[in-house]
Amino acid sequence: MLRTLFLTTLCLAFSAASFADKVVLKDGRTYEGVVLDENDASVKIKTAKATLTFQRDQVASVERAAGGALQEREKRLAALDPAKPADYLAVAEWMTGKGKEAYDLPTLRRLCAIASKLDANLSFDAQMLLGKSSEALGMRREAAMCYARAKLSKPANPEVRVRLDDLRQGLFDDARKEMEQLAAALDLVIQDRFEEALPKLQKAGALAKSEDAQRLMGMSVEELTRDIAKRVKCRTCEGAGEASCPACGGKALQTCSVCDGTGAKKGFSAGKEESGISNSVCRTCFGIGDLLCVKCKAERDIEIDYGYSVKRKVHATAGHEADALRAEVDLIKYVLKGSTRCVVSIHGLPPCPGGKTPCGTCQGIKYEPPRTPPPKDKIQLFMVEVVDCVKGQKAYDVVPAASTMYDPAAIADGCMLYRNGKWLK
Ligand SMILES: [Zn+2]
Ligand SMILES: [Zn+2]
Ligand SMILES: [Zn+2]
């Protein structure tokens, strides 16, 4: 009986556990990802968006994930070396097979691009792998692009040809839907109905008939979408393009969770004769009581008072207050660097800028209608072409042409080394 109960509990525990590690801060914020490093001073976690380091005293708990696939991925990535291109393909294969719990498409794209770029002999396998993976996710155009790249190295390979032919009909259907959207959107633009045109333009996708857009319209569909977006006043932000930062409520500051905004060390009681703040100061916020909001990338000046008539100032950006202060102050003894002059107080000036994040509805595009109207005659030309394609009066091939054996965009930053949770050059 006891044994059964134990097993049930164990199963429940496993099924409830996610694959991600979890760091819970004392202020209630929770981050999921892979814990890269954990010691007495700090905890470092890699989330989907960024690698973050927290001071140990900010952290309430660290929960390790039951599944080790993410940790294993970090290990495998960290061992990669551009001198051994085949290893990149091996990690890609692992990630689509045994390590599928740690699958992520941007990493897979990068691995396949690096393998293909460094060794043309690996290109076929890498591009086929990425193509199949994209196809499984329903991303037909990306899959076709990969197969087209694979075809460059093995033009006569029957598997590539069969896969591309199979994709063709689906691609036709996709393209037709996009082109119908696009034709309707262009028609609305010509009628000056920008607000109705905008969502259709965004849905049509930048790839719809993109090669003809430049030639006939003088700009890409993306450029037209951006131009029209500037002419539409977003209802969410009233055209400002930005919204109040959700993390700090627009204040650009967050109250220090260690001292609850008092700026003083926990349990410190005044009374002793003191000349500076080295005994009393909160070591997290340096006595300021609040920290700049990292989410909206706030900045401000910090004033340091040594008891002189003139106060010294440093400029700090969110998350780097300590670095800014360290240029001026010995943060262990709280004295002016290279002197014995004690810091009397540290004071944060009002933040600027900060408190704003790009509006999600309009993707941060401000209402600033260009003085000249859109080039309607050119848009008309492009629309006629698109309509002809939809009607089938003009032939076009939906299978993309490849000019390189890898996707240059996947390694545009040139980073091939993976260290401490980040891709580096
Ligand atoms: Zn903020
Ligand atoms: Zn504090
Ligand atoms: Zn907006």
Side-chain angles (χ1 to χ4, degrees):
M1 174 62 201
L2 201 66
R3 194 182 148 81
T4 323
L5 195 68
F6 172 73
L7 276 177
T8 314
T9 318
L10 194 73
C11 290
L12 274 175
F14 270 107
S15 60
S18 72
F19 296 117
D21 297 334
K22 206 192 260 183
V23 172
V24 182
L25 299 186
K26 285 176 183 163
D27 64 10
R29 281 179 291 163
T30 304
Y31 296 89
E32 286 193 3
V34 187
V35 170
L36 301 173
D37 191 26
E38 190 184 353
N39 56 47
D40 289 345
S42 64
V43 177
K44 188 173 186 181
I45 182 166
K46 186 190 181 222
T47 70
K49 287 182 187 152
T51 303
L52 304 164
T53 305
F54 300 107
Q55 293 178 23
R56 189 81 234 188
D57 56 10
Q58 286 180 277
V59 176
S61 68
V62 177
E63 293 162 31
R64 295 283 184 164
L70 281 168
Q71 270 97 339
E72 185 167 350
R73 184 184 72 184
E74 294 300 306
K75 236 183 260 167
R76 284 175 183 258
L77 291 175
L80 290 172
D81 173 359
K84 299 175 195 158
D87 289 357
Y88 289 82
L89 179 58
V91 178
E93 279 165 350
W94 171 82
M95 202 189 272
T96 50
K98 268 190 180 169
K100 62 180 184 294
E101 284 160 9
Y103 177 92
D104 96 88
L105 188 57
T107 306
L108 189 69
R109 282 193 190 120
R110 186 184 289 269
L111 292 169
C112 291
I114 295 174
S116 309
K117 185 183 183 180
L118 294 179
D119 184 351
N121 293 323
L122 298 172
S123 171
F124 183 82
D125 288 341
Q127 297 304 324
M128 288 303 276
L129 179 79
L130 185 58
K132 286 174 196 170
S133 191
S134 308
E135 205 178 339
L137 291 170
M139 302 163 75
R140 293 185 191 131
R141 203 186 313 249
E142 179 162 353
M145 198 73 220
C146 295
Y147 298 145
R149 287 190 202 108
K151 210 177 160 190
L152 282 180
S153 45
K154 293 190 185 176
N157 184 281
E159 193 191 351
V160 179
R161 235 184 290 158
V162 168
R163 285 194 171 264
L164 277 174
D165 283 343
D166 285 351
L167 274 178
R168 209 167 244 123
Q169 190 53 50
L171 284 170
F172 263 115
D173 296 341
D174 291 352
R176 178 147 299 139
K177 256 182 240 148
E178 278 178 12
M179 286 193 291
E180 277 166 4
Q181 286 269 1
L182 184 61
L186 295 171
D187 193 32
L188 288 166
V189 169
I190 291 167
Q191 297 176 50
D192 285 331
R193 289 157 69 185
F194 302 139
E195 197 168 346
E196 294 158 81
L198 185 58
K200 284 197 165 63
L201 273 175
Q202 285 162 339
K203 246 186 253 164
L207 291 160
K209 292 300 290 168
S210 53
E211 61 286 1
D212 293 326
Q214 200 69 48
R215 181 170 56 84
L216 295 167
M217 199 164 54
M219 62 177 127
S220 67
V221 175
E222 264 169 322
E223 283 163 343
L224 178 68
T225 307
R226 214 180 152 77
D227 175 281
I228 299 303
K230 285 189 200 163
R231 299 172 197 267
V232 176
K233 198 176 214 174
C234 167
R235 288 170 204 269
T236 309
C237 64
E238 297 195 9
E242 48 186 23
S244 209
C245 168
C248 63
K251 288 183 299 186
L253 298 171
Q254 284 174 338
T255 304
C256 173
S257 59
V258 176
C259 64
D260 295 326
T262 63
K265 202 190 251 180
K266 276 256 162 72
F268 173 78
S269 56
K272 268 200 238 161
E273 204 177 300
E274 275 189 286
S275 54
I277 58 172
S278 64
N279 290 324
S280 62
V281 75
C282 166
R283 300 272 161 173
T284 302
C285 64
F286 320 102
I288 302 168
D290 47 38
L291 292 162
L292 290 164
C293 176
V294 182
K295 175 98 185 193
C296 56
K297 299 193 176 72
E299 296 183 22
R300 73 170 160 195
D301 282 339
I302 299 176
E303 216 170 48
I304 306 149
D305 187 354
Y306 296 101
Y308 295 128
S309 54
V310 180
K311 290 169 184 157
R312 306 283 284 256
K313 249 184 228 170
V314 292
H315 186 76
T317 54
H320 299 283
E321 283 99 333
D323 298 334
L325 282 169
R326 219 171 269 130
E328 175 81 17
V329 179
D330 176 335
L331 285 182
I332 297 180
K333 295 180 195 149
Y334 280 83
V335 292
L336 174 63
K337 235 179 169 181
S339 122
T340 53
R341 192 80 200 186
C342 290
V343 178
V344 176
S345 71
I346 296 177
H347 179 71
L349 297 178
C352 170
K356 302 279 182 194
T357 46
C359 167
T361 313
C362 58
Q363 275 129 41
I365 299 177
K366 234 194 229 167
Y367 174 66
E368 41 189 4
R371 288 211 193 108
T372 50
K376 289 187 190 174
D377 45 344
K378 288 182 179 174
I379 294 171
Q380 177 85 39
L381 277 180
F382 180 48
M383 186 178 85
V384 169
E385 171 89 13
V386 173
V387 170
D388 283 352
C389 288
V390 175
K391 285 188 188 153
Q393 286 167 354
K394 207 155 234 176
Y396 57 97
D397 191 6
V398 285
V399 173
S403 54
T404 49
M405 287 186 188
Y406 62 95
D407 175 12
I411 41 168
D413 56 14
C415 295
M416 297 193 190
L417 285 172
Y418 192 83
R419 296 288 177 271
N420 291 320
K422 265 191 211 139
W423 285 98
L424 307 170
K425 275 192 193 188

